[in-house]
Amino acid sequence: MDKNKERWKLSLWFLLLLLLIPICVKPVLGEGERWDGVVVTESNFLALQAFKQELVDPKGFLRSWNDSGYGACSGGWVGIKCAQGQVIVIQLPWKGLKGHITDRIGQLQGLRKLSLHDNHIGGSIPSTLGILPNLRGVQLFNNRLTGSIPPSLGSCPLLQSLDLSNNLLDGTIPQTLANSTKLYSLNLSFNSFSGPIPSSLTLSPSLSFLSLQHNNLSGSIPNSWGRTLKNGFFRLQTLILDQNSFSGSIPASLVSLRELTEISLAHNQFSGAIPNEIGSLSRLRTLDFSNNALNASLPASLSNLSSLLVLNVENNHIDDKIPESLGRLHNLSVLSLSRNQFTGPIPSSIGNISTLTRLDLSLNNLSREIPISFDNLQSLKFFNVSYNNLSGPVPSLLAQKFNSTSFVGNIQLCGYSPSTSCPSQAPSTQVEKHHRHRKLSTKDIILIAAGVLLIVLVILCCILFVCLIRKSAASRKANGGATGRAGGSRTEKGVPAVAGEEEAGGGEAGGKLVLFDGAVAFTADDLLCATAEIMGKSTYGTVYKATLEDGSQVAVKRLREKITKSQREFESEVGILGKIRHPNLLALRAYYLGPKGEKLLVFDYLPKGSLAAFLHARGPESETTIDWPTRMKIAQGMGRGLFYLHSHENIIHGNLTSSNVLLDENTNARIADYGLSRLMTSAASSNVIATAGALGYRAPELSKLKKANTKTDVYSLGVILLELLTGKSPAEPMNGVDLPQWVASIVKEEWINEVFDVELMRDASTIGDELLNTLKLALNCVDPSPSARPEVQQVLHQLQEIRPERSPTSGDQGAIPSTSH
Ligand SMILES: *[C@@H]1O[C@H](CO)[C@@H](O)[C@H](O)[C@H]1NC(C)=O
Ligand SMILES: *[C@@H]1O[C@H](CO)[C@@H](O)[C@H](O)[C@H]1NC(C)=O
Ligand SMILES: *[C@@H]1O[C@H](CO)[C@@H](O)[C@H](O)[C@H]1NC(C)=O
Ligand SMILES: *[C@@H]1O[C@H](CO)[C@@H](O)[C@H](O)[C@H]1NC(C)=O
Ligand SMILES: *[C@@H]1O[C@H](CO)[C@@H](O)[C@H](O)[C@H]1NC(C)=O
Ligand SMILES: *[C@@H]1O[C@H](CO)[C@@H](O)[C@H](O)[C@H]1NC(C)=O
Ligand SMILES: *[C@@H]1O[C@H](CO)[C@@H](O)[C@H](O)[C@H]1NC(C)=O
Ligand SMILES: *[C@@H]1O[C@H](CO)[C@@H](O)[C@H](O)[C@H]1NC(C)=O
Ligand SMILES: *[C@@H]1O[C@H](CO)[C@@H](O)[C@H](O)[C@H]1NC(C)=O
Ligand SMILES: *[C@@H]1O[C@H](CO)[C@@H](O)[C@H](O)[C@H]1NC(C)=O
Ligand SMILES: *[C@@H]1O[C@H](CO)[C@@H](O)[C@H](O)[C@H]1NC(C)=O
Ligand SMILES: *[C@@H]1O[C@H](CO)[C@@H](O)[C@H](O)[C@H]1NC(C)=O
């Protein structure tokens, strides 16, 4: 026993050593299980030295870059990640760095990501970045860089994201920037760039975010948006060109950009009309053309923009009347038409837009009355109609809510302040009006009171309903998530993944990432560059804990390539697994197929770890005990998960062990590793069954049968129940017999108390019967004869009878029968 413990410690120590090496998953992908290339290459080492030398590091963050290169790729050097001895990531944001970026960065041929944002780095952008074939992300925003953008950057074929915003850069924007067919985000805002927008940017199908605001760009915007492909799909979602000196008209070709959700051209010198075709941009949420010189009337098609939240055209020369149809913009929150030359009456339909929070019509030439329908605008927080030619009384709600600065400059408008009370041509009618008004308000009050009562009742009903549902069908609730959309969640979440590596399809560098329902948003690149630690290895492959750059954590299982099915079969099977959702089953969130055939599965990461670790890997001096209700909750959770697998998904687990049962933060069981045999060749899955036997969870008939079934799963479940009861690991041999045999032998000799975990015996007086009944059930599950074992449904049923959920045990049960003394 002692020797065993010694060995255990040693391997833990070894594991710990591995854990301390943060690595990019990538190197693990290509090169099997070997940790080659931990030492940085000579040329990379020299380049890093030059990089450090040309930076000024007042806060001493780069002090760890002190050895002769040994630590560079083994996690010793802060901000560096490597693959096969090549630096692939330099990430040093918010480090107070000054100085400049060395030209020798071009020697880092493996570099994928250069992130130095939010420092004080000056000098120019090294043109040698252009010779980096793998460069994908460059984040240099919020620095003091000067000079212009080296046109060579266009030679990086994989460039996805370039953010140089908020520096002191000038010159023109090179045409070549759009050469990368992967470019999805370009942010050059808050610099001093001048000259025109390169037409190449209007032709890039991959570009999703283009932000050029606060520069000195001029000329007209090319009218060539989306012109290259006949029926091509352009991804541009955000186009921000604010605060430049653009002139000319707004190009009609913008309507080819069907994904556009935000367009902002404010503070330029655009003139002419807003193109009528704009009404077909059905996803548009923000349209800001304010502070230009637009002069025609508003196109009627604007009213077709049903997703619009913000419509701002203030400070132009727009005339004619405000279209009545604007009232159809039912989601609009901000409508600003101020400082134009609108004439005619205010359309009463605007009173229909109940979502309006800000309405500015000031400084126009609007006439007649403010529509009485404006009293419906309950959400309004800002309102201004000053300096028009409005007349008549102000609707009462507006008069109460807004002071006179919202109404001034309309000589004939009245009723918005004591000094502008409406002329009392007929005092009697006014009194009558007033009276009616009062009456109405009493009625209103009654109606409101009734409404409030109704709402309270409805809420109470809802709460009651939810409670009932929770109580009776916790499992059914979870099935709702099972209708997962394979790969569909990307665009909906607005993940900038759209043009990422996973879209590359046939591209030689590209792999394929498919996200399932409920996945955190990440790209293939995020995944491959995540910090990874080995959590464990199994027959199917190695499991890593991966920390994405945004700090979220996922568990990544890298499957052994040689034993997985062909790609097509694999994808159809994994698509099925990705749809399984149950609170007691670990959800598969995504998979990744690498260009060389690597296969990664991405699961939720559960920090509490496995049941095996929870039970057996507690520190010896640890005070924590695991009480019976917790163990029973785990047992019932396993039962529910396995029942769902057997009955709803028709899946045999085949490898159920306490290491494959994970625990969430509330110690609920979640079964992992189910269905993986479907992804493997049949030879490989029978191999797994063989190894499961070595761990002590394998049903005896499997030595002949070679094929798992529901009864072999129930056997494994029974072993885990014994594990929960005894606190003993089935992996530890006990005088040459396995755990079921050991328990059976003791029970036979009627020393039952010896069986149970000592931790449980403290409460034996109250839970004795539960322990005993669970023990009987577990022994039933591990019966050598498969036909004598119950199905999992019966196991679950009996567990729930032994300890009904949430009902405390009654304290009147005696001690369990004991003959051992
Ligand atoms: C290098 O820096 C690390 C971290 O700052 C420190 O622990 C180590 O002792 C240093 N090594 C040398 C050789 O100075
Ligand atoms: C960008 O592409 C154009 C034409 O596609 C090519 O002529 C030019 O050399 C490329 N520029 C760079 C820097 O690769
Ligand atoms: C572009 O840069 C500006 C300034 O740094 C920032 O506020 C903005 O969020 C960035 N936009 C995108 C789309 O990255
Ligand atoms: C902006 O560009 C114009 C030429 O287009 C130039 O005359 C002017 O000096 C530039 N302004 C700034 C602030 O760079
Ligand atoms: C709008 O302005 C442009 C340029 O200033 C002018 O040519 C055009 O005639 C104007 N259109 C209208 C309808 O006023
Ligand atoms: C608005 O859309 C409808 C249906 O898509 C179309 O028939 C109508 O012509 C559009 N209106 C305008 C003014 O473009
Ligand atoms: C209006 O807004 C609501 C909630 O923000 C959203 O669910 C709905 O889809 C929007 N309608 C349109 C037409 O965009
Ligand atoms: C909107 O307002 C107009 C005029 O006030 C009214 O006729 C119409 O029924 C309202 N509702 C809708 C949905 O347009
Ligand atoms: C306002 O409109 C009236 C006609 O409705 C017109 O006579 C007047 O000149 C306009 N005033 C301004 C300042 O545009
Ligand atoms: C103001 O509106 C009235 C009609 O309500 C109109 O007769 C008058 O000409 C307008 N005055 C100006 C200065 O536009
Ligand atoms: C009127 O309201 C605005 C904000 O709604 C406030 O800033 C202003 O001080 C108020 N003016 C007076 C005279 O009450
Ligand atoms: C309404 O607009 C006028 C003109 O721009 C301005 O003087 C006034 O302060 C504004 N009122 C509010 C409440 O913003």
Side-chain angles (χ1 to χ4, degrees):
M1 279 291 178
D2 268 4
K3 258 186 192 165
N4 257 330
K5 259 186 193 154
E6 209 56 46
R7 206 186 304 159
W8 176 233
K9 260 188 201 160
L10 202 76
S11 59
L12 252 183
W13 180 83
F14 180 67
L15 217 83
L16 222 72
L17 206 75
L18 285 181
L19 294 188
L20 290 174
I21 306 173
I23 45 123
C24 181
V25 177
K26 185 68 179 178
V28 189
L29 300 185
E31 301 304 319
E33 307 298 323
R34 293 187 55 78
W35 296 84
D36 58 337
V38 164
V39 176
V40 69
T41 64
E42 176 78 5
S43 71
N44 273 223
F45 172 66
L46 293 175
L48 285 179
Q49 263 194 332
F51 182 82
K52 180 185 177 185
Q53 213 144 41
E54 298 195 20
L55 284 174
V56 179
D57 176 27
K59 297 187 183 165
F61 281 105
L62 301 184
R63 256 181 234 142
S64 60
W65 296 24
N66 53 5
D67 56 45
S68 56
Y70 194 77
C73 282
S74 54
W77 290 24
V78 69
I80 299 296
K81 283 180 191 165
C82 301
Q84 283 126 44
Q86 297 248 334
V87 175
I88 58 168
V89 173
I90 299 181
Q91 194 162 18
L92 294 163
W94 290 294
K95 298 284 185 287
L97 299 173
K98 298 177 184 171
H100 55 268
I101 306 170
T102 178
D103 269 345
R104 296 182 69 175
I105 199 158
Q107 274 169 250
L108 301 174
Q109 284 288 301
L111 196 67
R112 291 161 156 246
K113 177 168 179 171
L114 177 63
S115 174
L116 300 171
H117 63 84
D118 292 278
N119 283 294
H120 311 289
I121 299 171
S124 56
I125 302 170
S127 63
T128 50
L129 284 180
I131 60 174
L132 298 178
N134 294 307
L135 196 64
R136 287 141 207 250
V138 178
Q139 270 79 43
L140 300 177
F141 53 94
N142 296 346
N143 276 293
R144 295 183 186 153
L145 297 168
T146 55
S148 54
I149 302 180
S152 62
L153 266 185
S155 313
C156 300
L158 300 178
L159 192 65
Q160 294 179 3
S161 168
L162 177 62
D163 192 336
L164 305 175
S165 63
N166 204 13
N167 278 289
L168 306 169
L169 298 164
D170 54 22
T172 58
I173 302 174
Q175 278 278 0
T176 55
L177 271 194
N179 269 22
S180 162
T181 56
K182 303 285 164 65
L183 190 68
Y184 78 82
S185 176
L186 180 60
N187 195 343
L188 306 179
S189 60
F190 296 91
N191 280 290
S192 301
F193 293 115
S194 54
I197 294 190
S199 59
S200 60
L201 287 182
T202 69
L203 305 175
S204 165
S206 60
L207 198 59
S208 290
F209 302 92
L210 178 57
S211 190
L212 304 176
Q213 81 260 35
H214 283 269
N215 277 292
N216 190 18
L217 298 166
S218 56
S220 55
I221 304 184
N223 190 13
S224 50
W225 296 93
R227 280 289 151 83
T228 36
L229 308 172
K230 259 264 161 61
N231 289 309
F233 178 65
F234 282 77
R235 296 180 193 274
L236 199 64
Q237 289 178 17
T238 304
L239 176 62
I240 303 181
L241 305 178
D242 291 3
Q243 308 266 5
N244 279 290
S245 304
F246 290 118
S247 55
S249 56
I250 296 175
S253 59
L254 283 174
V255 304
S256 328
L257 306 171
R258 293 302 157 111
E259 298 291 305
L260 212 54
T261 58
E262 179 176 1
I263 176 167
S264 188
L265 308 179
H267 289 277
N268 281 290
Q269 285 132 40
F270 290 109
S271 59
I274 298 175
N276 189 45
E277 297 87 340
I278 207 138
S280 57
L281 293 175
S282 58
R283 291 171 186 251
L284 208 56
R285 294 159 68 85
T286 300
L287 188 159
D288 187 349
F289 291 166
S290 63
N291 299 291
N292 279 290
L294 299 173
N295 57 2
S297 51
L298 281 185
S301 71
L302 279 183
S303 58
N304 270 2
L305 296 173
S306 54
S307 307
L308 209 58
L309 300 177
V310 175
L311 174 57
N312 186 352
V313 295
E314 69 186 37
N315 201 12
N316 280 287
H317 313 304
I318 304 173
D319 53 19
D320 212 350
K321 299 181 185 161
I322 303 173
E324 176 87 28
S325 58
L326 278 192
R328 280 166 44 201
L329 297 175
H330 284 301
N331 267 5
L332 204 60
S333 171
V334 174
L335 176 59
S336 183
L337 306 178
S338 90
R339 290 169 202 262
N340 278 289
Q341 282 144 29
F342 288 109
T343 56
I346 301 175
S348 68
S349 64
I350 289 179
N352 286 358
I353 314 176
S354 56
T355 48
L356 268 186
T357 57
R358 190 182 168 92
L359 177 57
D360 194 346
L361 304 174
S362 62
L363 290 157
N364 279 292
N365 194 2
L366 297 164
S367 55
R368 305 226 237 150
E369 303 195 345
I370 300 177
I372 194 80
S373 64
F374 277 25
D375 265 348
N376 301 332
L377 298 175
Q378 302 282 347
S379 314
L380 220 48
K381 304 228 158 48
F382 179 94
F383 179 76
N384 201 342
V385 290
S386 53
Y387 302 102
N388 278 286
N389 182 20
L390 298 168
S391 55
V394 170
S396 55
L397 178 97
L398 296 177
Q400 282 164 27
K401 225 168 157 176
F402 301 101
N403 66 29
S404 56
T405 59
S406 294
F407 303 100
V408 292
N410 294 284
I411 296 165
Q412 298 172 67
L413 202 61
C414 64
Y416 57 88
S417 72
S419 61
T420 60
S421 59
C422 290
S424 48
Q425 324 103 301
S428 58
T429 52
Q430 246 215 330
V431 169
E432 206 183 298
K433 248 187 187 164
H434 198 58
H435 193 60
R436 204 188 301 146
H437 184 69
R438 270 246 296 271
K439 246 177 158 175
L440 261 177
S441 355
T442 356
K443 207 168 148 194
D444 280 351
I445 288 169
I446 294 171
L447 279 176
I448 288 169
V452 167
L453 202 73
L454 199 73
I455 289 171
V456 168
L457 279 175
V458 165
I459 290 175
L460 277 178
C461 282
C462 284
I463 291 174
L464 212 71
F465 189 58
V466 167
C467 285
L468 278 176
I469 282 194
R470 277 206 186 160
K471 208 166 176 180
S472 67
S475 58
R476 208 186 314 147
K477 192 173 66 189
N479 300 354
T483 51
R485 316 161 302 250
S489 47
R490 272 174 311 193
T491 39
E492 284 200 17
K493 293 211 174 114
V495 187
V498 279
E501 193 170 40
E502 68 276 22
E503 286 294 316
E508 74 274 38
K512 174 177 179 182
L513 176 75
V514 174
L515 301 179
F516 295 117
D517 201 26
V520 293
F522 58 83
T523 63
D525 230 38
D526 291 343
L527 183 63
L528 298 180
C529 280
T531 311
E533 299 167 3
I534 291 188
M535 291 201 294
K537 292 187 181 190
S538 73
T539 338
Y540 291 134
T542 309
V543 187
Y544 302 87
K545 167 185 158 188
T547 307
L548 304 177
E549 209 192 335
D550 68 359
S552 54
Q553 292 173 326
V554 291
V556 178
K557 185 164 213 135
R558 181 184 168 228
L559 300 176
R560 280 175 214 277
E561 283 146 43
K562 288 190 186 117
I563 60 171
T564 53
K565 284 184 175 160
S566 72
Q567 176 160 342
R568 246 186 55 204
E569 285 176 282
F570 176 87
E571 286 207 68
S572 79
E573 294 287 358
V574 80
I576 297 170
L577 293 184
K579 286 180 184 155
I580 299 178
R581 294 290 181 265
H582 183 276
N584 296 111
L585 297 175
L586 186 72
L588 173 63
R589 299 301 184 187
Y591 68 90
Y592 171 81
L593 297 178
K596 291 180 197 137
E598 311 94 316
K599 296 186 176 70
L600 301 184
L601 302 180
V602 181
F603 299 92
D604 287 340
Y605 171 71
L606 301 184
K608 244 191 175 146
S610 71
L611 175 60
F614 185 64
L615 281 176
H616 311 305
R618 284 175 287 166
E621 70 285 349
S622 142
E623 291 288 302
T624 56
T625 62
I626 305 168
D627 64 9
W628 176 239
T630 303
R631 296 183 198 222
M632 192 53 155
K633 183 167 87 169
I634 294 170
Q636 293 182 354
M638 286 191 304
R640 277 192 293 271
L642 193 61
F643 175 51
Y644 186 83
L645 277 185
H646 284 182
S647 63
H648 289 76
E649 301 292 345
N650 205 13
I651 287 179
I652 304 297
H653 193 293
N655 190 19
L656 190 64
T657 69
S658 61
S659 311
N660 279 335
V661 174
L662 306 183
L663 300 175
D664 72 9
E665 61 278 13
N666 299 319
T667 332
N668 291 305
R670 288 212 211 153
I671 297 176
D673 256 22
Y674 56 85
L676 293 193
S677 59
R678 297 183 162 205
L679 309 177
M680 307 296 162
T681 57
S682 45
S685 32
S686 45
N687 184 19
V688 168
I689 291 169
T691 40
L695 293 168
Y697 296 89
R698 183 177 71 153
E701 70 268 23
L702 277 177
S703 52
K704 291 184 207 133
L705 214 62
K706 298 261 189 271
K707 193 160 163 41
N709 54 43
T710 56
K711 291 295 176 74
T712 61
D713 271 358
V714 166
Y715 182 94
S716 307
L717 180 65
V719 176
I720 303 178
L721 290 180
L722 290 178
E723 200 172 345
L724 284 166
L725 287 165
T726 62
K728 292 200 184 324
S729 168
E732 287 171 26
M734 272 150 293
N735 302 325
V737 297
D738 64 14
L739 185 59
Q741 288 167 336
W742 179 77
V743 172
S745 68
I746 292 184
V747 170
K748 211 167 156 191
E749 292 173 38
E750 303 199 319
W751 295 342
I752 293 180
N753 276 359
E754 298 295 304
V755 168
F756 297 113
D757 193 339
V758 284
E759 285 179 10
L760 295 174
M761 292 313 288
R762 293 174 199 173
D763 299 322
S765 58
T766 54
I767 59 173
D769 276 4
E770 291 183 26
L771 294 182
L772 205 59
N773 289 331
T774 311
L775 180 63
K776 277 184 201 159
L777 176 61
L779 286 173
N780 201 358
C781 292
V782 297
D783 196 295
S785 157
S787 57
R789 292 175 211 149
E791 289 290 349
V792 65
Q793 181 177 13
Q794 292 158 286
V795 179
L796 179 59
H797 184 74
Q798 288 191 40
L799 284 173
Q800 282 166 345
E801 271 188 353
I802 293 170
R803 190 179 182 90
E805 259 179 297
R806 285 187 197 179
S807 81
T809 44
S810 46
D812 57 0
Q813 285 149 356
I816 52 173
S818 156
T819 54
S820 63
H821 302 296

